[in-house]
Amino acid sequence: MELEEYCKREEIAILDVINTAKKAKYATEMTALINHLVKLQKVISAFDESVGYTRYGHQSYASDWTGETRSAYDSLVDELKMIENNVYDIHKELISEIKKEISNLAQKVKELE
């Protein structure tokens, strides 16, 4: 039996059925995105912890280094700082885009009500 026939027989508005299905789809997508946000926060927290360990090691052990060793080390530290900044920038951008998409989905649900 087709959906339209069933809805007519049961006196259910087909548009209500479609809107309910769309709302469920949007809610599922929003839940997935929210879960992704939580995972991203856990990842950036672990990254923050790693950065802290690296900085502690730098402050504790590298202050007495000189010459070529120091130059090579400083070059590596500069590269790590650039990577760190890129990670934080990408994290912020991802969070922003995910929040925008969640808002868009919430707006679609609101329009269906």
Side-chain angles (χ1 to χ4, degrees), residues 41-73:
Q41 283 308 118
K42 288 179 181 179
V43 167
I44 204 67
S45 292
F47 183 76
D48 286 339
E49 189 174 329
S50 296
V51 168
Y53 290 141
T54 302
R55 287 187 180 148
Y56 175 77
H58 172 73
Q59 292 169 352
S60 298
Y61 303 108
S63 59
D64 295 334
W65 294 357
T66 59
E68 285 183 37
T69 303
R70 183 58 189 218
S71 294
Y73 178 77

Side-chain angles (χ1 to χ4, degrees), residues 81-98:
K81 285 179 183 177
M82 283 179 26
I83 292 168
E84 176 186 343
N85 290 334
N86 286 340
V87 167
Y88 286 124
D89 289 344
I90 290 168
H91 175 259
K92 286 178 188 174
E93 187 176 331
L94 275 172
I95 296 293
S96 176
E97 290 301 316
I98 291 170

Side-chain angles (χ1 to χ4, degrees), residues 3 9-10 13 19 25 28 53-54 78-79 102 110 113:
L3 178 62
R9 192 184 80 209
E10 297 295 322
N19 285 347
K25 177 184 178 248
T28 301
Y53 290 141
T54 302
D78 290 343
E79 188 175 336
I102 290 170
K110 190 175 183 179
E113 294 176 347

